[in-house]
Amino acid sequence: MSEDALKRGLEMMDEVYGPGFGESMPTERSPMLDDTIGHLFGEIWSRPGLSVRDRRLLVIGATAALGRADLIEIQVRGALANDELTAEQLREAVLHLHYYVGWGNGTQTHNGVEAALRKHGAAETKDES
């Protein structure tokens, strides 16, 4: 993976998940992590055809089908950090997804969204004090 692709990928990770996210990546990386940074974020997420918000909604839908509350939470935290989706919009998306991904996976999606909203609310409260 070229250094340029890695740099572009880390910058896109900051755009997707909030400033400083790329800095949280380990300095000793594996080939898979380098491919995730350089290819997925440096080439796929940065393509011009869809906005970051559009791509995030697709990832939330796909991740909901997997029932992965932990991955949903990461996406929702990014959406909240970037003011892409409101709590009301996220909860509406959860309700909609319940009918397409099954009730169990929808419940996990709900859990991930609510965990991110709680943390985001705690972060806002902390910032205001």
Side-chain angles (χ1 to χ4, degrees):
M1 185 66 48
S2 75
E3 286 301 315
D4 187 50
L6 289 170
K7 182 178 184 280
R8 195 170 55 249
L10 290 168
E11 289 169 356
M12 181 53 70
M13 288 179 103
D14 283 350
E15 188 174 332
V16 171
Y17 297 116
F21 188 90
E23 293 172 9
S24 71
M25 294 293 102
T27 53
E28 291 186 34
R29 295 190 298 257
S30 67
M32 184 177 163
L33 183 55
D34 280 353
D35 282 346
T36 298
I37 294 168
H39 182 67
L40 178 59
F41 287 92
E43 295 178 26
I44 303 301
W45 274 85
S46 62
R47 292 176 55 85
L50 296 170
S51 68
V52 169
R53 182 184 186 272
D54 294 339
R55 291 178 192 281
R56 186 179 317 283
L57 286 169
L58 290 169
V59 171
I60 288 172
T63 307
L66 299 172
R68 293 287 307 271
D70 56 332
L71 298 178
I72 293 288
E73 184 179 343
I74 292 167
Q75 289 301 322
V76 170
R77 286 173 43 204
L80 294 168
N82 292 331
D83 292 323
E84 295 165 355
L85 296 163
T86 65
E88 182 180 342
Q89 290 170 323
L90 288 160
R91 289 180 175 128
E92 187 65 26
V94 168
L95 175 63
H96 192 81
L97 285 166
H98 261 92
Y99 290 93
Y100 288 92
V101 302
W103 212 256
N105 287 345
T107 300
Q108 288 304 310
T109 302
H110 166 79
N111 292 343
V113 166
E114 293 301 323
L117 290 171
R118 279 191 305 276
K119 288 178 182 170
H120 185 71
E124 285 181 347
T125 304
K126 224 186 253 185
D127 291 344
E128 292 172 5
S129 48

